[in-house]
Amino acid sequence: MKQDEEMHDEKRQAREWFVNVQESVCQRFEQLETDSVAGGADTPASFALRETSTRAADGSDRGGGVMAVMRDGNLFEKVGVNASTVYGVLDEDSLHRLAAGKSIDGIRNDPRFWASGVSLVAHMRNPRVPSVHFNTRMFWTPSRWWFGGGTDLNPCIEYDDDTRDFHAALRTCCDRTDGAYYQRFREWADRYFFVTHRQRARGVGGIFFDDLNTGDWRTDFQFVQDVGRAFLKAYLPLVLRRMDEEWMDADREKQLIHRGLYAEFNLVYDRGTKFGLESGHDPDAVLMSLPPLARWP
């Protein structure tokens, strides 16, 4: 496939897939929330949907999407699942942020861009249930396209069996496409999800990849779809394992402090946060990943 083609059909397929992931995750999470209050007096929380928009500095339309957020639930204290498609022209600062080891000469010659993706962050009520992040995306410019994304587990109380099972599901997913992917993307996640000023990881890792372009769009897109399907297979068993466990005030304290670490990473290092704010995307949607409550020691 030529790199300078508009790829209209491929963009459509990617956009529809990301919306499909958003809808399926919201459905499964709402069912979990409902199950968590079954037989009790509480009313289960549900997702509230809001359309988002992206505007350039001159006020011109740059696309948007749908932000789905569930708050104050019995199981989910806050979870957001965003799907968006944005487009426009990259400025020089955005070009350099996109470089990340790849040449931007071709992109600079024609800096039009199109990007679509889905992003999720879940902050749980019970400190023993791990928080989690997941996102996948496709980025296109007239000179090249690529996929990126990943998922990582962020428990405030670490359990070896949770970490093992989460990574095992991701390994199975990666091995389906390429036997070298899991180790490569796990190590990439360890480097990326690292809070340098604290000299520690923000969680127990997962997988992370960017600039994925093997030259075969269908194979790369299939991998991205597999990652989307693997996310629920990796995460839901951990929620079911821990959701009914009792917890103490000391556990809540650990959770709130750990959320502070998570917030620091997202505000200081996360490339998606920086790009979203710089590209004029709805700031509430960009900052959806921040926890509802956090504490610093």
Side-chain angles (χ1 to χ4, degrees):
M1 179 180 295
K2 295 180 179 178
Q3 295 299 304
D4 58 356
E5 291 180 352
E6 293 293 327
M7 298 179 66
H8 295 299
D9 189 54
E10 288 82 0
K11 293 176 186 175
R12 177 190 59 77
Q13 291 181 57
R15 181 182 66 251
E16 291 178 353
W17 168 253
F18 296 135
V19 170
N20 175 267
V21 171
Q22 180 191 44
E23 292 175 347
S24 62
V25 168
C26 287
Q27 182 180 32
R28 295 294 296 277
F29 279 9
E30 281 192 341
Q31 185 60 56
L32 277 174
E33 175 66 20
T34 298
D35 292 345
S36 75
V37 299
D42 294 332
T43 299
S46 60
F47 280 97
L49 306 182
R50 182 168 72 81
E51 292 189 359
T52 65
S53 62
T54 303
R55 298 286 174 180
D58 61 4
S60 60
D61 174 50
R62 278 194 169 184
V66 173
M67 177 172 66
V69 180
M70 179 162 54
R71 304 175 187 273
D72 301 321
N74 181 65
L75 178 61
F76 295 95
E77 189 168 3
K78 178 187 176 185
V79 53
V81 191
N82 292 351
S84 63
T85 299
V86 297
Y87 44 78
V89 178
L90 294 164
D91 59 28
E92 193 64 26
D93 287 341
S94 296
L95 282 169
H96 282 291
R97 289 195 187 282
L98 283 175
K102 53 183 172 282
S103 172
I104 60 173
D105 291 341
I107 302 176
R108 181 180 282 112
N109 292 336
D110 188 344
R112 290 177 296 145
F113 79 95
W114 176 97
S116 187
V118 59
S119 179
L120 172 157
V121 175
H123 297 289
M124 313 306 290
R125 175 77 60 186
N126 187 333
R128 295 176 181 269
V129 182
S131 295
V132 73
H133 149 266
F134 159 81
N135 84 87
T136 49
R137 59 191 175 274
M138 175 184 166
F139 205 99
W140 171 93
T141 72
S143 63
R144 66 191 316 274
W145 54 265
W146 64 93
F147 289 100
T151 180
D152 70 309
L153 198 65
N154 296 276
C156 65
I157 302 172
E158 297 181 11
Y159 298 97
D160 289 343
D161 51 345
D162 287 2
T163 302
R164 181 193 65 235
D165 293 349
F166 185 76
H167 279 274
L170 297 180
R171 179 188 289 276
T172 298
C173 167
C174 290
D175 287 351
R176 191 174 297 118
T177 299
D178 188 315
Y181 272 7
Y182 171 72
Q183 191 61 35
R184 174 186 169 194
F185 296 157
R186 175 175 183 167
E187 292 175 358
W188 202 338
D190 289 343
R191 294 192 302 271
Y192 182 73
F193 298 116
F194 189 80
V195 186
T196 304
H197 63 273
R198 299 286 187 187
Q199 283 299 294
R200 59 158 295 180
R202 78 172 190 182
V204 296
I207 60 172
F208 179 81
F209 59 95
D210 197 9
D211 199 27
L212 179 64
N213 178 339
T214 65
D216 185 335
W217 185 88
R218 293 191 182 282
T219 296
D220 294 344
F221 181 47
Q222 181 62 56
F223 172 68
V224 167
Q225 290 175 299
D226 285 346
V227 172
R229 297 184 186 99
F231 165 70
L232 288 176
K233 293 179 182 178
Y235 184 59
L236 292 188
L238 311 186
V239 177
L240 294 171
R241 179 183 295 165
R242 303 293 173 192
M243 61 187 286
D244 293 325
E245 292 187 1
E246 295 186 1
W247 52 276
M248 300 177 293
D249 290 344
D251 297 330
R252 178 64 166 174
E253 181 72 10
K254 289 180 182 178
Q255 182 188 52
L256 294 177
I257 291 175
H258 190 78
R259 285 179 177 178
L261 181 76
Y262 192 92
E264 289 177 16
F265 175 88
N266 279 33
L267 293 173
V268 177
Y269 301 109
D270 189 74
R271 281 187 284 176
T273 300
K274 293 177 182 179
F275 178 78
L277 294 175
E278 290 175 354
S279 64
H281 198 50
D282 186 322
D284 289 333
V286 175
L287 300 175
M288 169 275 296
S289 61
L290 294 179
L293 295 171
R295 186 172 296 166
W296 280 262

